[in-house]
Amino acid sequence: MSVDVQPSHIDQIRQTNIGLVYRLIDQYGPISRIALSKKAQLAPASITKITRELIDAHLVKETEFPDLGFRGRPAVGLKVDSKGWQFLCIRIDEGRIVIGLRDLSGNLVVEKQSAFSVSLNYSFLDCIVNEIDNFFLCHQSALERLTAISITINAIVDPVNGVIHSSPYYDIHDLPLGKFLHQRTGLPIFLQHGIAAWTIAESLYGAGKNYQNLIQIVIDDNVGAGIMTAGQMLHAGNHSVVEIGHIQIEPNGEHCYCGNIGCLETVVGIKKILYKFHSQTEKQSDALTIDSLCQAAIDGDPRVTEIICDAGERIGRIMAIMVNIFNPERILIGSPLNSVKHILYPAIQQQIVQRSLPGYSQQVDIVATQFDNTGTLPAAALIKQALYNGELLLELMQG
């Protein structure tokens, strides 16, 4: 009896296998086809077919390399061929846009930071297109074969459909950014929340590398979390960000831009910590920075130490719940407060130990993120992820 196999299943298997082979070549290349077959656990015939397709598309190339333990001619292995392939990374913050051009290996070719505002006579989309056009005009000599555009923004987004639902900084309502840019450029468009993209970057080549179960907490002007379970982003097909910043912790607290009252972000966000620091000192507000606050803590100022400990305890209570639910191997902290982690981390750890299962809390370690929250590296991680899961590879192979 024959069994009908849906074409979509075959396509998905092909995409997964191509992504797996490409990832292994990228991570271990130059690598022989025999070694590749063993690592991928695919038949030699499948490896031969997939690598031939990747070579024909100029995504992988053959190269000689010394085979340890054998004399004679060098072995022929495979490595990623990133020459000529480029993609555009865009990071949109409050009042600022950063655009970077990178090659397919993620290496930065050129990057430009500009002020970004939406005037009355232009839409948000028009302003982004103008920034992209200006970038191309300034760096035309560096451009080669553009393959994709990736965008990160701290907003409520739908990464699957490329929609920005709302933003705390811009007047946006269900904006189909991905569709608009794809129609204008013909390129694949990848959109993601900035925190989720940062977590992906840390898992690929940062402090979360080689860990399958991660929680990353960001304590900045925005407070949020990215969660990875079994190597996959939680809610990868939806909003991708766990909104811990908008959990109510002070019922009688101040109003938050999200519409609620007393959110965690209104208490432990960097701007709020600086305001609390200012209210307890005689310093002028324009003289206060997060660096001066951290330096005061390093110098032993008890008032600042108390403020940081209080922030750590409040975050730790939320983290204890998350540890019980997700049982992470590692917790990453992305924050300007990492310079006083000797104060912040113990306060978080204490709450996790007191409030979560011993079997879970004892095995998890808290470490700083390897990268800071600047530049276009998180956006570049979206492209790397799309290569590794085969989604972007198939589009490039089809021309």
Side-chain angles (χ1 to χ4, degrees), residues 144-318:
E144 296 190 48
R145 182 167 39 181
L146 200 62
T147 60
I149 298 175
S150 62
I151 304 164
T152 62
I153 182 171
N154 287 329
I156 297 177
V157 303
D158 176 353
V160 173
N161 296 303
V163 175
I164 304 176
H165 290 300
S166 63
S167 165
Y169 311 127
Y170 302 102
D171 186 17
I172 295 174
H173 303 284
D174 299 327
L175 183 74
L177 179 61
K179 181 180 179 181
F180 177 85
L181 288 179
H182 176 69
Q183 289 176 343
R184 188 178 178 89
T185 65
L187 297 172
I189 309 296
F190 298 93
L191 173 69
Q192 187 56 273
H193 190 287
I195 292 176
W198 189 3
T199 303
I200 293 169
E202 292 289 341
S203 72
L204 286 174
Y205 22 65
K209 188 176 181 180
N210 300 322
Y211 288 87
Q212 292 290 298
N213 303 289
L214 294 168
I215 297 178
Q216 177 172 325
I217 304 298
V218 173
I219 312 163
D220 211 319
D221 291 339
N222 297 108
V223 177
I227 296 178
M228 187 163 284
T229 59
Q232 300 293 322
M233 285 297 296
L234 185 68
H235 305 318
N238 197 350
H239 299 319
S240 301
V241 175
V242 179
E243 286 289 359
I244 66 165
H246 298 287
I247 296 174
Q248 187 186 69
I249 62 170
E250 288 191 354
N252 298 317
E254 68 176 79
H255 285 272
C256 180
Y257 64 83
C258 74
N260 290 332
I261 296 174
C263 292
L264 180 67
E265 192 168 293
T266 68
V267 178
V268 304
I270 293 299
K271 288 180 180 178
K272 304 305 176 183
I273 289 176
L274 287 173
Y275 177 79
K276 185 182 288 189
F277 181 37
H278 169 62
S279 67
Q280 294 183 11
T281 65
E282 298 177 355
K283 294 183 180 181
Q284 297 298 315
S285 60
D286 58 0
L288 294 176
T289 65
I290 189 59
D291 291 335
S292 64
L293 180 141
C294 291
Q295 188 57 53
I298 292 169
D299 293 340
D301 188 320
R303 294 166 299 181
V304 183
T305 300
E306 184 180 350
I307 290 172
I308 295 172
C309 282
D310 177 68
E313 288 172 2
R314 290 174 182 270
I315 293 165
R317 291 170 198 155
I318 305 297

Side-chain angles (χ1 to χ4, degrees), residues 22-35:
Y22 182 89
R23 175 173 63 82
L24 292 172
I25 294 172
D26 192 27
Q27 291 177 340
Y28 298 101
I31 182 173
S32 69
R33 288 174 173 79
I34 295 174

Side-chain angles (χ1 to χ4, degrees), residues 310-335:
D310 177 68
E313 288 172 2
R314 290 174 182 270
I315 293 165
R317 291 170 198 155
I318 305 297
M319 287 304 305
I321 297 171
M322 296 174 71
V323 166
N324 268 350
I325 295 172
F326 297 107
N327 189 15
E329 302 162 80
R330 173 165 279 193
I331 295 173
L332 310 180
I333 306 291
S335 175

Side-chain angles (χ1 to χ4, degrees), residues 46 73 106 118 193 238 257 271 349 366 381:
S46 297
R73 296 179 59 186
V118 181
H193 190 287
N238 197 350
Y257 64 83
K271 288 180 180 178
Q349 185 78 56
I366 301 177

